[in-house]
């Protein structure tokens, strides 16, 4: 975890600093029924989906949905069945035509495109992965993976070369000549993924891609997909009904309820600050341990020792503060480790070592540290293995705060917000 | 009082008769052309079937049964059935019947599959064509036997026409249903990659609908066979004519021989075309 984090931090900051908008959805409505256009007026936007159906007989699929997605972002659309999430993702590629509203992708308003321009636009911009894979059963795995390229009119040789490369990316080399029905569900979905990736799309649309898989395979696919995404860094729009999947994968999550967006936010925001009772109910079983990060619950260390202070000073600081131990940092603020009264006293009593002006290595125990975006779940192992608070380090291994054991357990205890607040 | 008032009468019969005579007077060349082309195809099939000697045809049927159905006993059964037809003295008639059925099926498919595609892609077309198909299948065949006779004269051509009317609906319906029930995700996937309507049709819909279409072909073939006796009433030669003659002369034994020959042909054709549809569906079953 520690090793991978600087990279994640870097990409995250790159995303936020550039924040180049790729998808922008404004006032999107999808209404099924005779008077669909009329329903999208202001008069109805305050009414609930049920009331509109009872009053007018029109079924609202999406109700005044607006959001935007930046380049490289992993955006999750989450909701239960019937919430409109599949409708929403299909609107983005205009497999379903919106009733009103604007969908701007890379600055192009796709609701206004002609049929031909739309086909071209789909070829260039999108790759899509489906819940039940949407493979063509009469074609081999290789031909399936190459289908998008075939539609684009690439010569056969190039189609296959590219398709092969992405079959390899998803771990399916050697399976090219099989037919989809000879593969397991997880492998079929890999073919679906390879097919989408082979087109080198800017935006990857994924409609519950892992929902049809067994839990174990699902987890494995999620992990592998995270790896693939780390390499390719696409903009991803991912539909799911599975909260833990959403929290695990998403940079941001939009929760849909009855065709409306109930909340958009980072996983942590969604779990810790639910916007309304619906979201609250949705996330109540979610473990904050999976979303809350060390950075958000860390505090400043009450006592901090500096290596140049020397053992005697350190000892008196600790005694005054009634502490048995503390973290030690050097001049640059880099964490060296932890020391305690016993060790300092032993050094002072020892005639040779007592001459030292600094708290040096012999007094310091190295301890594991975490970064700001480490989730609490990953702290459990460290908590159980050592008695100290957990140091949180930022750039260049500088100490930025500590996480106290009590705070961890207070955050994840299920009745937080009831009694503790 | 209880009787339907005679005053209210729609003279549909007169209108139709008028339309008929108008068509006969004005479109004679058109019907002649249609009749001529059907006849050529008919003659082609007849030439082929009557020129293959029985001692080659029977081994071919054996091979077909053996290889396509993957069973030796089917092959032997098919060969035996054809041999029996020969021993009844009906070899040539059986071949005439076979060519009539083949020509009718060919035309039924040429008309039926595109019609089925049109229905699948256009809801309005479907709602118009569906009742027409119902009519084609339930209208007593004698009703259109007579106009067919008037347009095309006696012989093979009107009976091919009548057979098409009777036999085309299953392949039309099953093409339509087959395309409409193709896994929607596969269609969406093709569309999502920017495939044109035509590409979606030929890359996805038709291949995935193939098992259903093949069942339609099988049904159409069986119904065409069922029409041979009726077709013989307007002059189509073959086993049907033989059945008709023996009915007229009350020769039960002769009628039975001819009848069972038709049944044998039906069994062979049914099993062979069915194996085609089975084979296409093997690769098409997607793992759910």
């Amino acid at each position: 975890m520690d090793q991978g984090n600087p990279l994640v931090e870097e990409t995250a900051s790159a995303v936020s600093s550039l924040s180049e908008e790729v998808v922008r959805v404004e006032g999107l409505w999808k209404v099924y029924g005779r008077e669909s256009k009329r329903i999208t007026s202001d008069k109805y936007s305050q009414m609930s989906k049920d009331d509109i159906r009872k009053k007018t007989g029109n079924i609202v699929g999406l109700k005044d949905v607006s959001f935007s997605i930046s380049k490289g972002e992993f955006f999750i659309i989450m909701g239960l069945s019937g919430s409109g999430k599949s409708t929403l993702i299909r609107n983005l590629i205009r497999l379903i035509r919106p009733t009103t509203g604007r969908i701007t992708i890379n600055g192009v308003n796709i609701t206004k495109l002609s049929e031909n321009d739309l086909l071209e636009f789909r070829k260039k911009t999108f790759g899509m992965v489906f819940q039940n894979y949407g493979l063509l059963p009469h074609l081999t795995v290789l031909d399936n993976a190459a289908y998008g390229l075939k539609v684009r009119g690439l010569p056969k040789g190039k189609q296959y070369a590219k398709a092969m490369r992405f079959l390899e990316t998803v771990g399916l080399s050697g399976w090219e000549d099989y037919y989809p029905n000879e593969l397991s569900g997880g492998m079929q979905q890999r073919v679906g993924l390879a097919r989408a990736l082979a087109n080198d799309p800017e935006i990857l649309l994924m409609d519950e891609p892992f929902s049809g898989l067994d839990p174990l395979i699902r987890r494995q696919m999620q992990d592998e997909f995270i790896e693939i995404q780390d390499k390719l860094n696409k903009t991803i729009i991912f539909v799911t009904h599975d909260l833990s999947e959403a929290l695990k994968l998403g940079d941001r999550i939009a929760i849909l309820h009855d065709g409306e967006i109930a909340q958009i936010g980072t996983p942590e925001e969604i779990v810790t600050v639910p916007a309304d009772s619906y979201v609250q109910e949705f996330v109540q079983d979610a473990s904050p341990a999976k979303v809350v990060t060390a950075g958000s619950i860390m505090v400043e260390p009450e006592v901090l020792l500096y290596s140049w202070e020397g053992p005697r000073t350190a000892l008196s600081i600790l005694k005054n503060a009634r502490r048995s131990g503390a973290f030690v940092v050097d001049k640059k603020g880099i964490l060296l480790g932890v020391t305690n009264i016993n060790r300092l006293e032993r050094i002072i009593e020892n005639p040779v070592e007592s001459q030292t002006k600094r708290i040096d290595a012999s007094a310091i125990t190295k301890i594991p540290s975490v970064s700001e975006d480490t989730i609490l779940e990953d702290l459990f192992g460290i908590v159980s293995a050592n008695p100290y608070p957990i140091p949180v380090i930022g750039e260049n291994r500088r100490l930025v705060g500590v996480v106290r054991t009590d705070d961890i357990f207070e955050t994840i205890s299920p009745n937080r917000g009831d009694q503790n607040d | 009082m209880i009787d339907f008032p005679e005053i209210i009468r729609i003279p549909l019969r007169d209108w139709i008769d008028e339309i008929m005579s108008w068509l006969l007077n004005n479109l004679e060349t058109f019907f002649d052309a249609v009749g001529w082309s059907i006849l050529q195809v008919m003659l082609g099939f007849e030439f082929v079937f009557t020129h293959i000697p029985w001692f080659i045809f029977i081994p071919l049927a054996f091979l077909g049964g053996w290889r396509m159905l993957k069973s030796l006993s089917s092959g032997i059964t098919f060969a035996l059935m054809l041999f029996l037809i020969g021993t009844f003295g009906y070899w040539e008639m059986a071949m005439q019947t076979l060519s009539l059925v083949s020509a009718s099926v060919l035309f039924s498919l040429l008309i039926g599959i595109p019609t089925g595609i049109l229905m699948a892609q256009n809801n309005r077309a479907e709602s118009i064509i569906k009742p027409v198909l119902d009519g084609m299948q339930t209208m007593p065949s004698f009703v259109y036997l007579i106009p067919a006779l008037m347009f095309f004269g006696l012989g093979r051509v009107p009976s091919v026409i009548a057979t098409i009317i009777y036999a085309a609906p299953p392949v039309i319906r099953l093409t339509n249903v087959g395309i409409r029930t193709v896994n929607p995700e596969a269609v969406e996937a093709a569309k999502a990659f920017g495939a044109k309507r035509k590409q979606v049709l030929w890359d996805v819909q038709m291949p995935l609908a193939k098992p259903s279409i093949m069942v339609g072909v099988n049904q159409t073939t069986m119904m065409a066979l069922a029409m041979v006796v009726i077709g013989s009433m307007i002059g189509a030669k073959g086993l049907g004519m033989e059945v008709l003659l023996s009915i007229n002369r009350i020769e039960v034994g002769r009628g039975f021989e001819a009848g069972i020959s038709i049944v044998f042909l039906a069994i062979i054709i049914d099993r062979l075309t069915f194996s085609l549809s089975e084979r296409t569906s093997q690769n098409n079953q997607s793992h759910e």
Side-chain angles (χ1 to χ4, degrees):
Chain A
M1 200 72 209
D2 251 345
Q3 252 59 36
N5 273 325
L7 197 113
V8 173
E9 234 165 280
E10 222 172 78
T11 41
S13 63
V15 167
S16 58
S17 67
L18 284 173
S19 161
E20 190 186 319
E21 191 176 81
V22 181
V23 178
R24 182 180 195 83
V25 175
E26 292 161 285
L28 179 66
W29 284 76
K30 178 67 197 178
V31 182
Y32 299 93
R34 284 164 181 275
E35 317 153 274
S36 54
K37 285 268 185 202
R38 197 168 63 87
I39 303 301
T40 64
S41 66
D42 289 342
K43 188 180 143 201
Y44 291 98
S45 60
Q46 298 307 318
M47 281 165 71
S48 81
K49 184 179 173 176
D50 261 356
D51 289 342
I52 295 177
R53 184 175 52 81
K54 277 180 200 142
K55 268 224 167 100
T56 69
N58 289 280
I59 311 286
V60 176
L62 291 172
K63 194 174 153 200
D64 202 10
V65 169
S66 302
F67 58 86
S68 69
I69 300 171
S70 332
K71 199 176 174 66
E73 193 172 14
F74 201 131
F75 190 81
I76 306 259
I77 299 168
M78 194 181 71
L80 301 176
S81 49
S83 62
K85 54 191 193 303
S86 285
T87 311
L88 178 54
I89 201 171
R90 278 167 177 71
N91 267 290
L92 296 180
I93 190 170
R94 227 177 84 185
L95 283 172
I96 296 176
R97 238 199 150 97
T99 307
T100 55
R102 281 170 66 93
I103 298 171
T104 320
I105 289 170
N106 281 336
V108 180
N109 181 359
I110 65 155
T111 52
K112 293 273 189 289
L113 286 179
S114 73
E115 196 64 31
N116 268 335
D117 291 344
L118 178 69
L119 293 183
E120 284 308 308
F121 198 76
R122 285 177 183 163
K123 284 181 205 173
K124 278 195 316 225
T125 317
F126 293 109
M128 190 157 175
V129 180
F130 296 85
Q131 180 173 8
N132 296 313
Y133 330 127
L135 300 178
L136 306 179
H138 61 293
L139 300 181
T140 61
V141 164
L142 181 61
D143 277 314
N144 264 293
Y147 186 71
L149 303 167
K150 185 189 165 200
V151 171
R152 277 165 69 169
L154 256 68
K156 264 259 151 27
K158 270 194 184 163
Q159 281 179 33
Y160 286 160
K162 255 188 139 176
M164 283 290 232
R165 213 173 72 221
F166 282 96
L167 283 175
E168 206 180 301
T169 307
V170 300
L172 277 185
S173 347
W175 291 90
E176 305 86 48
D177 296 330
Y178 286 76
Y179 284 89
N181 63 355
E182 298 169 300
L183 270 56
S184 70
M187 289 164 87
Q188 290 190 50
Q189 193 55 291
R190 285 162 205 263
V191 179
L193 188 57
R195 175 175 66 179
L197 291 174
N199 245 15
D200 196 20
E202 246 192 283
I203 303 170
L204 202 53
L205 303 174
M206 307 183 79
D207 184 18
E208 303 212 34
F210 306 140
S211 303
L213 307 175
D214 299 332
L216 271 179
I217 309 278
R218 190 187 312 156
R219 267 232 301 282
Q220 186 192 346
M221 289 287 284
Q222 289 165 351
D223 293 339
E224 284 178 29
F225 184 61
I226 291 173
E227 263 175 52
I228 292 173
Q229 163 64 357
D230 278 347
K231 275 186 236 153
L232 300 174
N233 210 7
K234 304 268 181 209
T235 305
I236 296 173
I237 303 171
F238 189 106
V239 168
T240 183
H241 65 261
D242 178 356
L243 182 69
S244 62
E245 184 170 73
L247 298 177
K248 179 175 179 180
L249 297 173
D251 290 328
R252 276 195 308 150
I253 300 172
I255 294 187
L256 273 183
H257 175 215
D258 280 352
E260 283 180 271
I261 289 189
Q263 186 174 6
I264 298 185
T266 63
E268 191 171 345
E269 285 165 3
I270 300 267
V271 172
T272 54
V273 206
D276 59 18
S277 57
Y278 179 77
V279 179
Q280 163 97 51
E281 207 174 310
F282 215 103
V283 300
Q284 67 180 3
D285 294 328
S287 163
K290 285 186 192 297
V291 288
V292 176
T293 56
S296 68
I297 62 162
M298 68 184 182
V299 293
E300 277 198 31
E302 282 172 40
V303 183
L304 190 59
L305 301 175
Y306 297 91
S307 59
W308 67 87
E309 287 175 332
R312 281 166 215 282
T313 324
L315 191 60
S316 69
I317 291 176
L318 283 181
K319 281 186 169 161
N320 284 339
R322 294 165 201 272
R323 285 293 183 132
S324 62
F327 293 119
V328 185
V329 297
D330 70 3
K331 274 183 192 164
K332 290 177 188 155
I334 295 173
L335 178 70
L336 298 175
V338 72
T339 189
N340 60 31
I341 292 186
N342 290 344
R343 293 185 78 159
L344 290 170
E345 279 176 343
R346 220 180 303 138
I347 288 170
I348 295 163
E349 284 159 16
N350 182 323
V352 186
E353 287 185 15
S354 67
Q355 300 308 312
T356 53
K357 291 279 181 288
R358 311 180 62 245
I359 308 173
D360 62 11
S362 62
I364 295 171
T365 317
K366 288 206 165 174
I367 60 166
S369 59
V370 298
S371 71
E372 282 178 80
D373 50 15
T374 306
I375 56 173
L376 297 195
E377 197 178 51
D378 293 329
L379 304 186
F380 294 161
I382 302 172
V383 169
S384 60
N386 83 70
Y388 309 103
I390 299 166
V392 181
I393 57 171
E395 274 173 61
N396 306 323
R397 296 196 54 81
R398 284 162 46 107
L399 183 72
V400 293
V402 298
V403 175
R404 292 179 308 199
T405 314
D406 291 352
D407 291 340
I408 296 178
F409 290 110
E410 195 170 306
T411 313
I412 63 170
S413 78
N415 48 8
R416 97 205 113 91
D418 293 348
Q419 286 120 313
N420 291 9
D421 271 7
Chain B
M1 277 307 258
I2 303 166
D3 292 339
F4 197 85
E6 271 177 51
I7 234 71
I8 309 170
R9 225 186 95 61
I10 295 172
L12 183 62
R13 61 180 70 166
D14 301 336
W15 298 342
I16 287 176
D17 290 347
E18 264 169 52
I19 292 171
M20 275 295 294
S21 58
W22 185 89
L23 288 175
L24 278 173
N25 290 330
N26 293 285
L27 290 177
E28 209 189 335
T29 33
F30 170 74
F31 289 116
D32 282 352
V34 171
W36 184 83
S37 13
I38 291 176
L39 188 63
Q40 296 315 304
V41 174
M42 255 314 294
L43 290 175
F45 276 112
E46 231 175 70
F47 181 84
V48 172
F49 281 122
T50 52
H51 279 76
I52 300 176
W54 66 273
F55 52 83
I56 292 178
F57 201 88
I58 290 179
L60 280 179
F62 166 74
L63 277 177
W66 179 31
R67 309 304 289 186
M68 288 171 67
L69 287 139
K70 309 232 170 8
S71 103
L72 202 61
S73 61
S74 299
I76 293 168
T77 313
F78 289 177
L80 208 65
M81 284 172 168
L82 284 177
F83 188 77
L84 278 174
I85 293 176
T87 60
F88 297 153
Y90 288 148
W91 186 265
E92 199 180 342
M93 286 183 187
M95 291 302 120
Q96 283 169 343
T97 297
L98 215 50
S99 40
L100 179 78
V101 169
S102 307
S104 307
V105 168
L106 178 71
F107 284 112
S108 296
L109 302 188
L110 284 179
I111 298 165
I113 292 177
T115 311
I117 294 172
L118 176 73
M119 277 174 85
Q121 298 200 327
N122 187 321
N123 286 334
R124 179 169 291 173
E126 187 190 36
S127 63
I128 294 171
I129 294 171
K130 254 192 176 162
V132 175
L133 294 182
D134 294 337
M136 284 162 78
Q137 281 185 299
T138 47
M139 178 78 76
S141 27
F142 299 101
V143 175
Y144 48 80
L145 228 44
I146 298 156
L149 199 66
M150 289 165 75
F151 287 132
F152 301 103
L154 268 175
R156 306 175 181 92
V157 176
S159 72
V160 169
I161 301 272
T163 309
I164 293 171
I165 294 173
Y166 183 66
V171 75
I172 299 176
R173 283 186 209 275
L174 281 154
T175 304
N176 175 34
V177 171
I179 292 177
R180 281 179 185 268
T181 52
V182 163
N183 174 8
E185 275 198 343
V187 174
E188 271 189 331
K191 284 185 183 163
F193 286 108
K196 295 191 189 74
R197 246 176 111 110
K198 234 192 221 160
Q199 288 172 311
V200 175
L201 178 67
W202 293 110
D203 291 347
V204 183
Q205 290 173 315
M206 286 304 273
L208 297 204
K210 211 166 158 194
S212 166
I213 296 175
M214 288 313 291
V215 172
V217 172
N218 172 270
Q219 294 291 306
T220 289
T221 313
M222 297 318 287
M223 291 183 73
L225 252 175
M227 271 296 277
V228 294
V229 177
I230 293 168
S232 68
M233 288 180 171
I234 47 175
K237 284 183 200 142
L239 293 171
M241 182 72 96
E242 195 62 15
V243 173
L244 202 65
L245 282 178
S246 49
I247 292 171
N248 288 342
R249 297 177 192 167
I250 323 181
E251 293 181 56
V252 179
R254 189 177 167 193
F256 192 77
E257 276 186 352
I260 209 159
S261 300
I262 294 176
V263 172
F264 285 164
L265 282 186
I267 290 173
I268 296 172
I269 295 174
D270 175 61
R271 297 299 184 274
L272 289 180
T273 51
F274 189 71
S275 83
L276 280 180
S277 70
E278 286 279 278
R279 194 185 298 181
T280 54
S281 67
Q282 261 167 22
N283 269 336
N284 272 356
Q285 290 152 0
S286 64
H287 230 274
E288 288 295 310

